[in-house]
Amino acid sequence: MPAPRPLPVARFGLRAVAAALVALAAALLVALPPAGEVPGAGAQEPDACEALDLGTLVAEDELGASGRWTTTDCDSAFLPNSDAQSYRFELAEAGLVRIELSSPDGGDSYLHLLTEDGSALTHNDDGGFALDARIETRLAAGVYHVEAAQGSGRARGGAGFELSILHLGSCGPLDLGVLEAGEGFTVESAWSFGDCSARFRPDAPAELYRFELPEPGLVRIDLTTPEESDAFLYLLTADGGYLHENDDGGVDRNARIENELPAGAYLVDATTWVDRDHGHALTGFTLTIRLVSPDSFRIKAEAIHIPDQLIAGQPFTVDYRVGNLGQLDVPAMYSVIVLTAAPGDFTRTGFLRAGGDRWRAGVSYHSAAATQGATSLPLTGARPLQLVLDEPGHTWVVLAAGVYDEEFTEYSFHRLEVEAVVLSSLPYGPVTVAVGGVDYVVSAAADEEGLVTTSVSPAAAADGEVDAAQGARATYAAGVLTQLLDGIFERAGLAPLTAAGEAAPAGVARPSSSTLAKAFAELYTGQTEASGIAGSLADGRVVNPVAVEDLVIGAADAAAAQYAAASTSWRALLERIPSGAPLAFEEALAVHAELSYAERVLAPLASAREIVLAARAAEDGWLDPAVRARTFGLAAGAACGGGEEALGAALGAAGVDGVDAALALERELRAALPVHGFAVDGALCGAAAVDADNARFLQLLGLPGRREGAGLVGPEAPPAPPPPPPAPERLRIVARLADDGRTEHGVELASGELVLPVRRFLSADVRAGEWHISSDVALGAASLGTVRARRLASGGIELGFRGAEGEAIVPAIRYLPAELVPGVWFRSSEIEVPAPLADGEDG
């Protein structure tokens, strides 16, 4: 039998959650053994204990034992400083054996299974419910030993335990017989705790069935369960080898396998996604197996194509081919839905209605050239689908297709899956780049699990240290070189652009949304002013649409001149780098900025120019179907919702005078020629999307979230304003007469908190007029200052305060009478004291 196939996705069940909660509670209680049981250095040193004989285990029978971990009796042979009890049993005949160890007192159960001579076979910690242990394995007849151990050490304290050993039988399949056309099998059953385990899901209960297929045929196997459960199917060879699996191929969470099978015997493992400890895993199910009639329509997912390189978090396209391989057309008014899914994401087409020439018998359809067959047709109204996979590692991508009527009843279904490895970021290199005049060698390599590790080292010393910020810049430059500059002129986003006219650099220093929007605003303002249309409007003349067409052409010509400057610099770099010269960080930043500006801002302007020229050349002008289709395409790229508000913000950022007047002009230009508005909005939408583009690019390089990479491609930050001074503390000086005749001083904060310095008493016999200073009035680790007090010749007391920097602060109300009421606090008026400084903090 082949090795078990890894499951495509993991799910959290009740057992896992319960185990985590109990483990947390155990960790909190680990230092609190029960009263009367005090483990430690003074405890008796335990020894290994002799195994207790439980007897002979026969088929469908059970052995059991109860015991207690005392922290003083027996040592585990495998877990240091842990209690254990050993047991011996004899298995009369080979079969599946389940050994469970539980503790009603909350002990952490741990099982070891050994052969008669003491050789370890297997072990388990939390395979049962919560902290319980479970081993379920097939054993030959013979003698075995079980160690029942307390898994968390003696510090946990004593606890009772229960051990059970159950012979589950041979777990052989139930033979359903021969599958004949027009008949089929229907089995109604239920999972239970005593069931055997699924061949490839040992924690899940399963029922195993066998059937024989006398002739090749299309076999559909359905496993349905109540809504709260989750069915899972395995189709196996007669000797238990893996063939197919399915989770949610049926309706909701029901499972379905539908495949062409050659004649022969097969096993069906009817199981569930959830572990047997999950309450609703143990529920009823219905299994049906039947042949699908060949004289019907039959949908089939024929081909799926995904990129060779999948990056975590990056959208990728799924192309497909789906056909009707049956002998009948899909009935009119029925629909086909194509769906693609992977762990954590799925997407689907709309309802692709049958009828006419679509979904005819024997006809296949492809979404793109990558999946085109020898005779397949383009799938009108459908599109390639997109997925995003968030986690690196081995995974799967599924293509499924189904036929449904108007009430969404399913009549045919088929799925196809491909395995893939998702990379954590882009692999590349090694390449040489320069940062701050120092050359670095950068490479990014992927391991078998898809994790990409980027290494940066000085070219002059491979083992030299690299500063984190320098490493981030070197990684960024290497990414620009390998992912952007290499093959830059083949990028689809540059297709509308041509380098024409005298090169006019755009001066785009950084690839950020705000920088690009400002650059577009400057281009826009220059072209609208040169058009003279504003002057015509001021004279009361209506806008001539032909003049707006000329404006669109002029803006595209300006874009072509700016693209000429960028493309010239790219060619110079591409000619220089093959000779071994490194790409400098500053050059990489310029390439990234120019490319973002060209693809996102200049390309819509160039597309608008081509539409204007096409309209001028067409006999029907702007009503020509081809012209209208191209106009709609440009409008689709301008649908981000920016509009007038985005243009106003860009003009304001560029320092344009009279933004309101410019927007009023823009409204007239759009009314006269909608394609002008589509071009403007397309450029602004493109600029707005650049920050998200940059985030994805940094993610591709493994730089997102790192402080060193965060500021690489964003706008230059303005100088940080000085921090505002901390708010002063508001307080009152307080004083009261103590029982011994001295006067006690302190402060009362605005919150009502009373703060008393250590040295705070003014003696009754001090000389009049002499100021006395308290010790520091402390607020946390900081000092607010000191209280000042002096006796007056009249017998009263004057209060004051000196701040932490020595400044005198005099409250307006500050005099105490000569006769004070003992024990009653008197308060000055409120004063403001500069915020306190902690020790070592500069003033």
Side-chain angles (χ1 to χ4, degrees):
M1 184 174 73
R5 185 174 136 104
L7 292 173
V9 291
R11 299 189 180 180
F12 294 103
L14 180 63
R15 187 183 68 80
V17 174
L21 293 175
V22 175
L24 176 60
L28 294 175
L29 295 173
V30 70
L32 302 174
E37 297 183 20
V38 186
Q44 177 184 347
E45 187 67 26
D47 298 315
C49 287
E50 183 177 349
L52 177 66
D53 195 345
L54 298 179
T56 300
L57 181 65
V58 297
E60 313 295 336
D61 201 359
E62 182 177 3
L63 301 174
S66 299
R68 183 170 182 81
W69 299 301
T70 67
T71 77
T72 60
D73 291 340
C74 302
D75 265 328
S76 167
F78 301 94
L79 303 177
N81 193 35
S82 293
D83 269 358
Q85 297 289 340
S86 295
Y87 298 91
R88 175 188 179 277
F89 73 94
E90 183 176 358
L91 185 64
E93 60 181 88
L96 185 68
V97 175
R98 180 187 299 155
I99 306 170
E100 292 185 293
L101 180 64
S102 61
S103 172
D105 299 333
D108 188 1
S109 304
Y110 205 109
L111 277 172
H112 288 91
L113 177 63
L114 303 91
T115 61
E116 185 177 15
D117 63 4
S119 300
L121 284 176
T122 187
H123 62 88
N124 180 262
D125 183 9
D126 296 327
F129 179 77
L131 297 180
D132 296 344
R134 175 193 287 146
I135 291 174
E136 188 168 303
T137 186
R138 296 178 186 278
L139 298 176
V143 175
Y144 296 90
H145 288 261
V146 174
E147 182 186 271
Q150 164 84 305
S152 297
R154 291 192 168 89
R156 189 182 185 93
F161 64 83
E162 300 286 340
L163 175 70
S164 69
I165 306 174
L166 177 67
H167 193 302
L168 297 175
S170 64
C171 289
L174 174 64
D175 196 343
L176 299 178
V178 178
L179 182 61
E180 301 286 357
E183 297 181 2
F185 308 119
T186 299
V187 179
E188 292 186 355
S189 185
W191 295 300
S192 70
F193 283 107
D195 280 347
C196 296
S197 296
R199 298 293 180 95
F200 297 104
R201 285 189 52 75
D203 288 336
E207 295 285 349
L208 188 64
Y209 300 92
R210 180 185 184 278
F211 72 93
E212 188 173 344
L213 186 64
E215 302 288 339
L218 177 64
V219 177
R220 177 183 292 176
I221 307 169
D222 282 291
L223 182 63
T224 60
T225 65
E227 184 175 338
E228 70 274 8
S229 191
D230 194 354
F232 200 99
L233 272 174
Y234 288 101
L235 178 64
L236 312 173
T237 61
D239 61 357
Y242 175 89
L243 286 176
H244 301 286
E245 69 186 50
N246 180 261
D247 179 15
D248 297 328
V251 178
D252 296 325
R253 293 197 290 180
N254 295 318
R256 171 179 292 174
I257 292 175
E258 182 174 298
N259 278 93
E260 290 276 3
L261 298 179
Y266 297 90
L267 299 179
V268 174
D269 215 0
T271 183
T272 173
W273 245 119
V274 290
D275 296 345
R276 69 176 78 239
D277 291 322
H278 206 319
H280 59 245
L282 308 177
T283 188
F285 64 83
T286 301
L287 176 73
T288 60
I289 306 173
R290 64 185 179 89
L291 283 165
V292 178
S293 173
D295 56 347
S296 65
F297 57 86
R298 178 184 157 213
I299 204 70
K300 184 172 184 180
E302 296 183 316
I304 180 173
H305 178 269
I306 59 176
D308 294 335
Q309 198 171 75
L310 304 181
I311 309 297
Q314 299 298 312
F316 65 93
T317 297
V318 179
D319 291 313
Y320 51 87
R321 186 173 73 247
V322 175
N324 175 11
L325 301 192
Q327 298 181 9
L328 299 178
D329 299 345
V330 175
M333 305 307 292
Y334 280 32
S335 295
V336 174
I337 295 177
V338 180
L339 176 144
T340 187
D345 194 18
F346 82 95
T347 185
R348 67 176 180 86
T349 64
F351 290 86
L352 306 174
R353 194 170 295 280
D357 291 331
R358 192 153 67 175
W359 304 117
R360 303 290 297 272
V363 180
S364 297
Y365 305 88
H366 59 266
S367 66
T371 54
Q372 182 174 355
T375 60
S376 64
L377 304 174
L379 187 53
T380 307
R383 67 192 190 286
L385 300 171
Q386 278 202 331
L387 291 175
V388 178
L389 297 174
D390 293 327
E391 298 295 331
H394 293 265
T395 188
W396 48 266
V397 178
V398 166
L399 174 71
V403 178
Y404 303 90
D405 65 14
E406 293 175 296
E407 296 181 355
F408 209 62
T409 302
E410 184 180 285
Y411 289 92
S412 180
F413 180 88
H414 188 254
R415 59 176 264 162
L416 177 68
E417 72 177 51
V418 294
E419 294 187 10
V421 176
V422 182
L423 304 178
S424 59
S425 58
L426 282 170
Y428 58 82
V431 295
T432 303
V433 297
V435 180
V438 178
D439 289 357
Y440 294 93
V441 177
V442 186
S443 63
D447 63 15
E448 293 182 355
E449 298 304 317
L451 295 177
V452 174
T453 302
T454 302
S455 61
V456 181
S457 60
D463 57 351
E465 293 289 332
V466 179
D467 173 77
Q470 292 287 92
R473 284 168 170 76
T475 300
Y476 169 77
V480 171
L481 174 60
T482 58
Q483 311 305 322
L484 302 183
L485 187 57
D486 186 14
I488 194 168
F489 290 108
E490 285 75 49
R491 294 176 68 92
L494 298 177
L497 290 165
T498 56
E502 183 177 350
V508 181
R510 301 177 74 83
S512 70
S513 291
S514 58
T515 302
L516 268 57
K518 180 181 176 183
F520 168 73
E522 293 170 349
L523 184 152
Y524 170 90
T525 302
Q527 293 302 308
T528 52
E529 289 178 351
S531 71
I533 298 176
S536 298
L537 283 174
D539 293 339
R541 287 175 286 175
V542 299
V543 176
N544 184 349
V546 176
V548 187
E549 291 179 359
D550 291 338
L551 171 60
V552 170
I553 293 173
D557 289 343
Q562 292 183 343
Y563 178 60
S567 59
T568 299
S569 68
W570 301 342
R571 285 193 174 89
L573 290 173
L574 290 171
E575 291 172 359
R576 190 195 77 196
I577 289 173
S579 64
L583 179 70
F585 168 74
E586 294 76 14
E587 293 172 327
L589 194 61
V591 168
H592 193 179
E594 292 164 352
L595 177 60
S596 297
Y597 183 60
E599 287 186 318
R600 288 295 196 172
V601 176
L602 301 183
L605 304 182
S607 296
R609 177 186 187 276
E610 295 307 311
I611 295 172
V612 168
L613 295 179
R616 287 182 172 182
E619 181 176 347
D620 292 332
W622 289 98
L623 299 178
D624 180 81
V627 172
R628 289 170 60 85
R630 295 176 69 174
T631 303
F632 291 148
L634 182 62
C640 70
E644 186 174 304
E645 183 178 350
L647 179 59
L651 294 173
V656 175
D657 294 330
V659 171
D660 290 341
L663 294 179
L665 171 62
E666 176 64 17
R667 286 191 286 272
E668 299 304 319
L669 298 175
R670 290 171 182 251
L673 189 70
V675 77
H676 162 80
F678 298 150
V680 171
D681 287 348
L684 290 169
C685 287
V690 164
D691 284 346
D693 291 346
N694 294 340
R696 285 191 291 269
F697 183 63
L698 293 179
Q699 183 182 21
L700 285 174
L701 303 179
L703 290 175
R706 288 179 49 177
R707 183 175 60 186
E708 300 84 7
L712 291 178
V713 295
E716 293 190 65
E729 287 285 344
R730 293 185 295 110
L731 54 86
R732 298 173 189 267
I733 306 170
V734 297
R736 70 176 176 180
L737 182 63
D739 292 339
D740 60 5
R742 294 183 300 170
T743 304
E744 183 180 8
H745 304 94
V747 301
E748 184 181 71
L749 304 180
S751 64
E753 179 184 356
L754 188 65
V755 181
L756 300 177
V758 175
R759 190 175 67 247
R760 61 182 183 274
F761 291 96
L762 181 66
S763 176
D765 58 359
V766 297
R767 189 167 53 186
E770 187 177 279
W771 286 103
H772 288 257
I773 309 298
S774 74
S775 56
D776 284 343
V777 178
L779 190 60
S783 172
L784 285 171
T786 57
V787 176
R788 304 169 68 228
R790 66 177 177 178
R791 287 199 178 272
L792 304 175
S794 63
I797 296 174
E798 181 181 2
L799 302 176
F801 199 84
R802 189 173 296 280
E805 294 300 305
E807 67 276 22
I809 303 172
V810 180
I813 302 172
R814 61 185 182 276
Y815 296 105
L816 300 177
E819 299 296 331
L820 296 175
V821 179
V824 176
W825 287 108
F826 289 78
R827 294 167 175 80
S828 75
S829 57
E830 190 173 68
I831 60 176
E832 288 190 347
V833 175
L837 300 177
D839 291 343
E841 188 175 359
D842 293 334

